Amino acid sequence: MKLICDPIKNQKNIESRGLPLLAAEAMINDAMLVIEDTRNSYPERRFIGYNTIDDRLMVVVFCHPADNVIRIISLRKANAHEQKKFNTIIQN
């Protein structure tokens, strides 16, 4: 699977969160919990993934613009609400 991202968004994410978008590669595996993002009407299907990097729960927003390609839109640390939601889902 090839990961891509917008270089401008990547730079903004590094500046604001200290995280390069392509660091999400460490999250994309069979352990990642994926939920489709249906909060808004997007021009493409978006997904929210939850998984850990270095034992810290992270959130990645991504889409599949083509076969074997994942475009990373956002990467950040999960907030307290998301951590609780994640723990509830995996315990059930």
Side-chain angles (χ1 to χ4, degrees):
M1 192 69 61
K2 180 179 178 180
L3 270 62
I4 61 172
C5 66
D6 178 278
I8 295 170
K9 279 190 155 199
N10 184 53
Q11 187 59 39
K12 287 181 181 179
N13 213 66
I14 292 168
E15 291 169 4
S16 65
R17 298 178 174 150
L19 294 166
L21 294 176
L22 296 182
E25 182 175 17
M27 298 174 60
I28 300 174
N29 56 46
D30 291 339
M32 184 166 73
L33 172 64
V34 178
I35 300 170
E36 186 169 1
D37 184 356
T38 58
R39 296 172 298 164
N40 294 302
S41 177
Y42 299 108
E44 58 199 349
R45 289 179 71 192
R46 287 189 180 191
F47 301 90
I48 302 171
Y50 300 88
N51 206 349
T52 58
I53 296 177
D54 297 330
D55 296 322
R56 176 68 163 105
L57 184 62
M58 306 294 283
V59 178
V60 60
V61 178
F62 63 96
C63 65
H64 289 282
D67 287 342
N68 295 320
V69 175
I70 294 176
R71 183 167 53 85
I72 305 299
I73 298 166
S74 174
L75 175 64
R76 61 182 172 74
K77 295 177 184 175
N79 62 36
H81 173 76
E82 291 163 328
Q83 290 178 31
K84 184 177 179 180
K85 180 179 176 181
F86 176 81
N87 289 330
T88 300
I89 290 170
I90 64 167
Q91 290 174 358
N92 289 330

